[in-house]
Amino acid sequence: MRSETFDLTTGGSAVVRDVTDRCAAFVRDEQDGLLHVFVPHATAGLAIIETGAGSDDDTLTALDDLLPRDDGWIHQHGTPGHGRDHVVPAFLAPSLTVPVLGGRLALGTWQSVCVVDTNVDNPERQVRLSFLAG
């Protein structure tokens, strides 16, 4: 297995950050296998969604509707509503796997690999990419 990490700055507001190009570059010289993507953080998750057509904003809106940023959370430190950030990975897992065929991600036409980060208290993230040859 080959593995590497890269740093990602997500900023001071909730964000969906497309990392598909970075994933594609990581597997470019491989053949068939699996790409595993992992964010080692308690307040970030991953999603495969369409970006650029509003789905990234819709994802954040859906999380806000489902998990409101208010003071109703037992876990309370940091900015108001930060407790919900710790629940996000229960809905958007911190890992995902994408098939790789001939050195290319086997994603659908409009699919992108995205880091979803709602935690405004910690804008520095790390992403681990691991390739397992088939």
Side-chain angles (χ1 to χ4, degrees):
M1 181 178 76
R2 184 170 64 88
S3 188
E4 73 178 30
T5 60
F6 67 91
D7 295 326
L8 183 68
T9 300
T10 55
S13 61
V15 67
V16 174
R17 185 64 51 86
D18 188 340
V19 295
T20 308
D21 288 345
R22 188 72 184 251
C23 293
F26 180 72
V27 300
R28 184 173 293 124
D29 296 327
E30 302 294 348
Q31 291 302 310
D32 295 352
L34 297 172
L35 171 67
H36 186 262
V37 185
F38 178 65
V39 288
H41 301 283
T43 57
L46 294 161
I48 296 179
I49 61 170
E50 177 183 5
T51 60
S55 296
D56 37 357
D57 290 332
D58 288 342
T59 299
L60 296 175
T61 298
L63 286 172
D64 286 341
D65 290 347
L66 184 63
L67 307 168
R69 183 174 287 284
D70 58 25
D71 61 359
W73 301 94
I74 294 170
H75 183 111
Q76 292 191 12
H77 71 84
T79 59
H82 175 67
R84 80 88 182 240
D85 298 329
H86 287 273
V87 178
V88 166
F91 293 85
L92 295 172
S95 67
L96 58 78
T97 303
V98 179
V100 176
L101 301 173
R104 297 176 54 112
L105 299 173
L107 293 169
T109 302
W110 302 111
Q111 290 182 317
S112 295
V113 178
C114 299
V115 174
V116 180
D117 186 6
T118 62
N119 183 355
V120 300
D121 294 336
N122 181 7
E124 300 302 321
R125 298 295 177 189
Q126 189 177 72
V127 180
R128 175 167 294 281
L129 304 176
S130 301
F131 179 77
L132 183 61

